[in-house]
Amino acid sequence: MPAARPTAALRPGHRLGPYAPWTHPLLLLDQEHHTEARDALDATPEPPRDLLQEALWCRTARAALSLGDRRTMARAHAALTSAANELAGAGSGLLTLGPVSTCPNDLDTALRGTARPSGR
């Protein structure tokens, strides 16, 4: 799964709308605020069951992978495994984060403690 880098316009404190809980941990990680990112990830709710559900789980998973948060990795893995043949967010018509399959594969690798996740 691509490790999307936030743009200069997207920083904590900016209005991220209803998707802030799933974006904030990654923005904090980008700024190397690991403790705050961990707190933000702990506060991240389960995504709503809508067209962006898989995309939001993939963002949660990327933050969990970066922080080594095995509990959140396991939750994201369970949520994404059944959607492995889909494109994350594509049903929304707004965006896609690429194939969902990359995310559970990276999570599975990290949870088993084998090779390093792809980071694609």
Side-chain angles (χ1 to χ4, degrees):
M1 179 167 85
R5 304 267 312 161
T7 66
L10 292 176
R11 295 288 180 227
H14 283 94
R15 294 180 186 211
L16 299 171
Y19 304 107
W22 299 277
T23 303
H24 199 215
L26 292 171
L27 294 174
L28 290 166
L29 282 168
D30 186 54
Q31 295 178 341
E32 299 185 20
H33 297 296
H34 296 272
T35 301
E36 294 91 341
R38 189 172 309 282
D39 292 343
L41 183 60
D42 287 344
T44 301
E46 288 196 18
R49 295 182 182 268
D50 62 13
L51 296 173
L52 292 175
Q53 181 180 11
E54 289 84 11
L56 297 175
W57 269 118
C58 286
R59 295 189 66 77
T60 301
R62 183 57 51 208
L65 284 162
S66 295
L67 291 166
D69 182 338
R70 296 179 64 78
R71 181 184 60 83
T72 303
M73 282 188 244
R75 288 179 48 230
H77 187 272
L80 290 168
T81 300
S82 64
N85 293 325
E86 299 179 22
L87 293 174
S92 70
L94 299 173
L95 63 95
T96 180
L97 297 181
V100 172
S101 62
T102 306
C103 193
N105 291 343
D106 286 352
L107 290 165
D108 189 48
T109 298
L111 289 167
R112 283 188 286 131
T114 55
R116 182 175 171 83
S118 71
R120 290 182 283 144

